[in-house]
Amino acid sequence: MKFSLFVHMERLDADQSQQSLYDEFIELCEIADRGGMHAIWTGEHHGMDFTIAPNPFINLADLARRTKNVRLGTGTVVAPFWHPIKLAGEAAMTDIISDGRLDIGIARGAYNFEYQRLSPGLDAWGAGQRLREIIPAIKGLWAGDYSHEGEFWSFPSTTSAPKPLQQPHPPIWVAARDPNSHEFAVANGCNVQVTPLWFGDEEVESLMGRFNDACEKYPEITRPKIMVLRHTYVGTDEADIEQAAREISVYYNYFGAWFKNEKPISQGLIERLSAEEIAANATYAPDVMRRNNVVGTPMEVISRLKHYEALGYDEYSFWIDTGMSFERKKASLERFIADVMPAFAG
């Protein structure tokens, strides 16, 4: 099982400098590269300081000049916010800039807040249909002389300019959850990205079951790869680990607030949650976060990941966005590289 870093700029407080957040983002990526991680993933979000990521290709092009070995992935671009010609061209240019290190992850998007602003009236179903239309279209554009007459986009014969360095194209990954999305990914020869979010290992097992079912439905398709993404913290002792669980609890409370899209937002920041609101939300309670996420000592983390490897996951992505201080993120990542990854060196 390979390891990757899933990372963004995240701003929860008006006192945080966006420039310093980018500098910290770069340093974490450089640590991942030097430490022998397989890939770095960063995504796309708009108008929300909770996850600052307006165009992942810009970040990846910058990382291409700052890193040597890691693959560089979009985790993920949001399909309904792109035209196929624009997506094919920007991805191909990033592949050239990165000397063929690009992986392209594509999703339907998650936040109604973004749908309201970039595509008013869009819902998750409509976004998913656009995802299903855009993937064959960008493949056609990379092949060249491709015309398209679809439900959402139509254009005459066009060739992506430029074409990607990797042939026939960079690996494509689909963010999948329900059985239909797994089946679409496998049927179209795409790799799969999954996350159980705040749920426990039973969800990790269920997601693998959906993927296996999709592979069995399309036996003529070479089995794609599957990656699992989880919030991760490697601690030094129980007090450190308990602090991490509390921090991840706060993070998920804000994640839930953004997802519900009910609280006021000003200057890109959502209204602060009170300590009472956070304490009242049992779903994200610290003990639940400690139990469900990959949070623990190096040996505890190794044990969890060995189980994921045995289930058949090809890649584990260390989701480092947690609202923690940069120093705590950095220390946990360094412990993961030094104390966890060597257990999987074979």
Side-chain angles (χ1 to χ4, degrees):
M1 189 167 65
K2 296 178 179 178
F3 296 102
S4 57
L5 178 66
F6 188 87
V7 59
H8 300 86
M9 296 166 63
E10 51 169 347
R11 187 168 180 258
L12 305 181
D13 191 295
D15 293 332
Q16 291 173 291
S17 155
Q18 297 183 355
Q19 177 64 59
S20 66
L21 290 174
Y22 190 73
D23 293 341
E24 292 168 0
F25 165 85
I26 292 296
E27 186 170 345
L28 292 172
C29 292
E30 290 174 337
I31 290 169
D33 183 49
R34 291 195 305 269
M37 283 187 140
H38 168 70
I40 294 165
W41 298 90
T42 195
E44 175 185 4
H45 290 288
H46 299 279
M48 46 195 300
D49 279 10
F50 183 67
T51 310
I52 302 172
N55 185 333
F57 295 118
I58 296 174
N59 300 66
L60 297 181
D62 186 24
L63 287 172
R65 291 294 179 262
R66 298 173 182 263
T67 59
K68 296 180 179 179
N69 301 306
V70 283
R71 293 194 62 80
L72 301 169
T74 62
T76 53
V77 293
V78 182
F81 301 158
W82 290 82
H83 188 284
I85 296 173
K86 183 172 174 60
L87 178 56
E90 290 200 27
M93 181 61 79
T94 307
D95 194 44
I96 291 171
I97 291 170
S98 66
D99 297 321
R101 287 192 277 155
L102 179 71
D103 282 58
I104 178 167
I106 308 179
R108 71 182 187 183
Y111 292 109
N112 188 52
F113 172 87
E114 293 178 301
Y115 291 162
Q116 287 177 341
R117 285 154 178 79
L118 275 76
S119 188
L122 184 67
D123 59 16
W125 168 260
Q129 295 306 107
R130 286 164 174 80
L131 168 68
R132 285 161 169 75
E133 185 172 327
I134 205 168
I135 287 177
I138 60 174
K139 287 183 178 181
L141 288 160
W142 286 328
D145 296 329
Y146 172 79
S147 58
H148 186 82
E149 291 292 334
E151 181 178 357
F152 305 107
W153 299 284
S154 298
F155 49 86
S157 180
T158 308
T159 300
S160 175
K163 288 190 175 186
L165 181 59
Q166 297 176 86
Q167 291 297 315
H169 53 73
I172 299 174
W173 299 71
V174 172
R177 180 165 296 277
D178 62 87
N180 288 336
S181 55
H182 282 267
E183 291 175 9
F184 169 80
V186 173
N188 285 271
C190 298
N191 298 323
V192 171
Q193 297 173 327
V194 298
T195 178
L197 294 171
W198 61 87
F199 296 103
D201 283 357
E202 68 282 354
E203 181 68 6
V204 177
E205 294 161 5
S206 178
L207 288 163
M208 178 57 80
R210 293 168 222 171
F211 176 72
N212 286 335
D213 289 346
C215 292
E216 290 175 9
K217 188 170 182 177
Y218 297 96
E220 72 282 6
I221 303 293
T222 300
R223 183 182 176 90
K225 295 177 181 178
I226 181 169
M227 178 189 92
V228 61
L229 165 68
R230 298 230 67 172
H231 278 104
T232 309
Y233 186 82
V234 182
T236 55
D237 54 32
E238 193 57 34
D240 182 36
I241 292 164
E242 288 177 0
Q243 180 179 344
R246 291 192 297 271
E247 290 165 326
I248 294 172
S249 170
V250 171
Y251 173 91
Y252 265 115
N253 273 275
Y254 277 96
F255 174 88
W258 275 103
F259 190 80
K260 288 181 179 179
N261 194 28
E262 295 172 351
K263 282 189 167 288
I265 295 162
S266 177
Q267 295 296 314
L269 294 168
I270 201 163
E271 182 180 80
R272 300 291 296 183
L273 300 175
S274 68
E276 291 74 21
E277 287 177 297
I278 292 172
N281 194 338
T283 299
Y284 306 136
D287 63 317
V288 177
M289 298 297 95
R290 168 76 162 91
R291 180 172 64 251
N292 287 1
N293 291 286
V294 180
V295 177
T297 64
M299 289 308 301
E300 288 175 321
V301 171
I302 288 169
S303 177
R304 293 282 291 279
L305 300 189
K306 287 289 184 182
H307 176 52
Y308 297 172
E309 185 178 50
L311 288 172
Y313 283 100
D314 300 289
E315 182 176 334
Y316 178 84
S317 199
F318 181 127
W319 191 353
I320 204 166
D321 305 336
T322 52
M324 296 180 188
S325 69
F326 169 70
E327 291 74 21
R328 286 179 56 73
K329 290 180 182 179
K330 178 181 176 181
S332 171
L333 178 60
E334 289 174 336
R335 286 191 289 267
F336 185 87
I337 290 169
D339 301 334
V340 175
M341 285 173 48
F344 298 82

